[in-house]
């Protein structure tokens, strides 16, 4: 679950987007950007926002069991807890092409992770009431 010391609950404002689609392109190669995406997604879930987090590029590795535990960033919420929060209340998607380039299949990923492509991302991002963010 979300570490309340680094991510506090924010009251949901009905004027905000009803759904948040976040694409994270960074992994251990850009840890601050990666951490920001997971943190924003987890805080949004905790705030009652419908969240869809897309793992692309180097973040694709976090769809595999145990990989989030290898990620470290000082003064940041632990990635496994953020990932758990997102899976519990949102949707986590691994990019089809990113998975294929890394030889990751549906049988390899954490339970609850789906694999989908750009068409699904575009459909989600262009739905009314959606705010899309890319990290």
């Amino acid at each position: 679950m979300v570490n309340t010391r680094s991510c506090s609950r924010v009251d949901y404002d009905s004027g905000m987007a009803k759904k948040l689609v976040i694409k994270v392109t960074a992994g251990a190669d850009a840890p601050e950007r990666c951490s920001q995406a997971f943190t924003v997604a987890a805080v949004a879930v905790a705030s009652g926002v419908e969240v869809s987090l897309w793992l692309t590029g180097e973040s694709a590795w976090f769809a595999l069991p145990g990989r989030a535990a290898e990620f470290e960033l000082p003064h940041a919420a632990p990635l496994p807890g953020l990932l758990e929060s997102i899976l519990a209340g949102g949707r986590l998607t691994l990019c089809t092409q990113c998975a294929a380039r890394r030889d990751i299949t549906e049988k390899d990923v954490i339970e609850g992770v789906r694999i989908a492509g750009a068409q699904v991302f575009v459909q989600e991002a262009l739905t009314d009431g959606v705010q899309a963010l890319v990290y």
Side-chain angles (χ1 to χ4, degrees), residues 4 17 30 76-77 97 116 118:
T4 56
Q97 290 180 8

Side-chain angles (χ1 to χ4, degrees), residues 98-115:
C98 300
R101 280 190 281 276
R102 291 161 180 81
D103 294 319
I104 300 172
T105 67
E106 287 183 356
K107 67 179 170 89
D108 299 320
V109 299
I110 299 166
E111 184 177 342
V113 173
R114 71 173 175 165
I115 298 177

Side-chain angles (χ1 to χ4, degrees), residues 45-114:
V45 166
S47 300
V49 176
E50 186 179 340
V51 173
S52 177
L53 179 66
W54 283 72
L55 303 176
T56 66
E58 285 302 299
S59 72
W61 295 114
F62 299 124
L64 298 175
R67 292 302 284 265
E70 297 173 7
F71 181 87
E72 291 185 16
L73 181 63
H75 310 291
L79 205 58
L82 296 174
L83 185 60
E84 181 182 320
S85 295
I86 296 161
L87 281 168
R91 171 172 278 179
L92 191 62
T93 305
L94 172 58
C95 164
T96 303
Q97 290 180 8
C98 300
R101 280 190 281 276
R102 291 161 180 81
D103 294 319
I104 300 172
T105 67
E106 287 183 356
K107 67 179 170 89
D108 299 320
V109 299
I110 299 166
E111 184 177 342
V113 173
R114 71 173 175 165

